[in-house]
Amino acid sequence: SSSSSSGLGELVLVETAHTAVPSARVPVLPAALQGRTSMQGISFVLYQYEPCPFCNKVRAVLDYYKVPYEIVEVQPMTKPQLKWSRNRRIPTLRIDVQENDGKKVTLEMGESTDIITLVDTLVRQTGHVAAKPAAKASHAATSSGWLSWLGLSSSSSSSSTTNTTTTTTTHSSLEREDRWRQWLDDKLVHLLPANIYRTPGESLHSFDYLLTHGNFGFAEQTASRYVGASIMYLVCKYKLNKKYGITAPREQLYAAVNEFVDAVGDNAFLSGGSEPDLADLSVFGVMRALSKFDAFEDVLQNTRVKPWYDRVAAAVGPSSGTVVAAAGGAVKA
C-alpha cells in the first residue's frame, strides 16, 4: 500500500487506495513462479521508504521467513530508483526469476498486502518454511489488480477459484487472519500519522527522522524540514483526522492497540499457535515503524502490547535484507 501522490505528500504515511484482503484465498502464483520447488533462481528487491509502515509490513514477513532480499531506499521526490517500474509505488517488490531456458523474467508488485500474501504462498510452495511448526495451507490474494500486474489472465484466476478445496478449519483460520489484516489497513495505519504529527513539536521531530533516514540530499533536507513538518501537522489536523474520525489521537491509538491485544488473548500470538501468522507479522511491522517515533514509548506505557510485541520480534529475528543503496545515492536498476 502506498500513497498515490509523490514527494512530501507521501511522507504522511497513509494510503489513498487499498485492495481489500479476500476472505477466501486460493494458491495462485504468476506463471513464472508456479511449480517452483525451491527458491533457487529467484531474487527479491524491495524498493522502500525506511520509515514507511507498509514497507515495514513487507520486511517483517520477509525477515520472518528468512528470505534473502535487497533493499533500495527510494528518493521520494522524483523516485529515480523506480524508473524501470510501470507502477512507481512504495513499496514495490521486484522479483527476478531465472527460468530453465536461461531467460530472466522480472515481476513487480506494488501493494503491501498482496506482496505479503504472495511471499507467504511462494515460501510454502517451495518448502522454504518447512521447519515452521505453524505452517498452514498456502494461500494468495486473487485481486485483479496485482494479478494483471504479474501477467495473470482473469481466466487463470477464475479457474483456480473454482477448484478451491479449503478445509473448514483452514478457511476459518484464514478468515480470522484476513479480518485482522483488513483491520490493520482500515484502522490502525490511519492512526499513525495522527500521532507522529500530533503537535508541531512532534511533527518537527518526526520529520527530522524521515529526512535523515530517507533518501534525501542535504539541500532537500534543509529546504523541507520546517515546511514539510508544518504541512504534515496541518494536513493531519484539519484533513486526515477529520476524514477518519480521529479526535483524540493518542487515546484512540491506545484503544486500537488494546483491541488487537484482546484478540490475541492468552495466546502467544493471534494465530493461536506457537508461531505468528500474517496478521501478527503485519501488525508487528506497522508497530516497528512506529517505534522510531515519540508515540511508541507512550504506547508501550499505556497499553498491554509489549509482551506480544517482544514475542513477535523474537520470532522475526534479525533482518534477512541487505541495503544496496545508501541514503542520497541513486541505483541503476
Side-chain angles (χ1 to χ4, degrees):
S1 304
S2 65
S3 171
S4 59
S5 60
S6 61
L8 293 178
E10 291 191 318
L11 294 181
V12 80
L13 304 183
V14 296
E15 61 185 348
T16 56
H18 172 62
T19 302
V21 180
S23 60
R25 293 173 293 184
V26 293
V28 176
L29 287 173
L33 297 175
Q34 289 179 9
R36 291 270 173 169
T37 57
S38 78
M39 292 292 230
Q40 186 174 357
I42 306 173
S43 60
F44 301 88
V45 183
L46 178 64
Y47 294 80
Q48 68 156 26
Y49 301 149
E50 195 272 342
C52 169
F54 307 110
C55 301
N56 275 274
K57 281 170 56 179
V58 174
R59 290 180 62 181
V61 173
L62 290 168
D63 291 344
Y64 172 70
Y65 285 142
K66 306 306 175 194
V67 175
Y69 64 102
E70 294 183 340
I71 301 168
V72 174
E73 192 70 23
V74 175
Q75 199 275 356
M77 306 302 288
T78 58
K79 301 181 182 176
Q81 294 82 6
L82 287 174
K83 285 182 178 178
W84 62 274
S85 169
R86 289 175 295 167
N87 303 291
R88 295 173 64 82
R89 298 168 68 94
I90 297 297
T92 284
L93 184 68
R94 173 172 170 164
I95 309 170
D96 291 320
V97 183
Q98 194 75 32
E99 298 194 315
N100 293 332
D101 60 5
K103 294 181 180 179
K104 186 178 81 169
V105 176
T106 296
L107 311 172
E108 66 173 301
M109 183 179 295
E111 188 79 26
S112 64
T113 297
D114 290 342
I115 292 172
I116 288 169
T117 305
L118 178 136
V119 170
D120 177 72
T121 302
L122 181 61
V123 295
R124 294 183 189 285
Q125 173 186 282
T126 59
H128 186 76
V129 292
K132 296 289 184 184
K136 55 182 175 290
S138 63
H139 47 274
T142 58
S143 65
S144 59
W146 74 258
L147 290 176
S148 62
W149 294 345
L150 293 172
L152 286 177
S153 65
S154 57
S155 60
S156 171
S157 173
S158 61
S159 173
S160 296
T161 304
T162 302
N163 294 327
T164 302
T165 55
T166 307
T167 65
T168 302
T169 302
T170 301
H171 183 75
S172 175
S173 175
L174 292 181
E175 279 190 330
R176 175 180 169 86
E177 181 183 276
D178 289 344
R179 185 168 65 251
W180 283 100
R181 292 174 69 193
Q182 192 72 59
W183 169 88
L184 170 66
D185 289 336
D186 290 344
K187 184 173 184 178
L188 185 62
V189 291
H190 297 306
L191 289 165
L192 264 65
N195 278 275
I196 68 174
Y197 302 118
R198 185 180 60 146
T199 66
E202 279 185 289
S203 186
L204 184 61
H205 186 267
S206 297
F207 219 77
D208 280 343
Y209 177 83
L210 294 170
L211 291 173
T212 54
H213 288 76
N215 196 340
F216 288 92
F218 177 76
E220 291 168 327
Q221 290 182 28
T222 303
S224 300
R225 184 173 186 261
Y226 291 101
V227 174
S230 299
I231 290 173
M232 294 302 102
Y233 167 71
L234 294 172
V235 166
C236 286
K237 184 175 178 65
Y238 295 107
K239 183 178 180 180
L240 293 176
N241 288 3
K242 182 178 180 181
K243 178 179 180 180
Y244 297 112
I246 300 171
T247 56
R250 277 291 198 275
E251 290 73 16
Q252 286 175 261
L253 178 60
Y254 300 156
V257 170
N258 276 332
E259 180 184 358
F260 179 78
V261 174
D262 287 340
V264 175
D266 294 331
N267 299 312
F269 305 104
L270 182 72
S271 66
S274 59
E275 293 288 323
D277 63 14
L278 296 186
D280 285 299
L281 295 170
S282 296
V283 174
F284 169 78
V286 168
M287 292 293 294
R288 187 165 62 177
L290 183 65
S291 69
K292 311 300 192 300
F293 303 100
D294 296 340
F296 186 70
E297 286 303 318
D298 288 347
V299 169
L300 293 185
Q301 293 175 15
N302 292 278
T303 71
R304 292 170 274 109
V305 76
K306 191 175 188 304
W308 168 87
Y309 183 87
D310 290 343
R311 285 192 295 269
V312 181
V316 170
S319 178
S320 55
T322 302
V323 177
V324 296
V331 171
K332 182 179 179 181

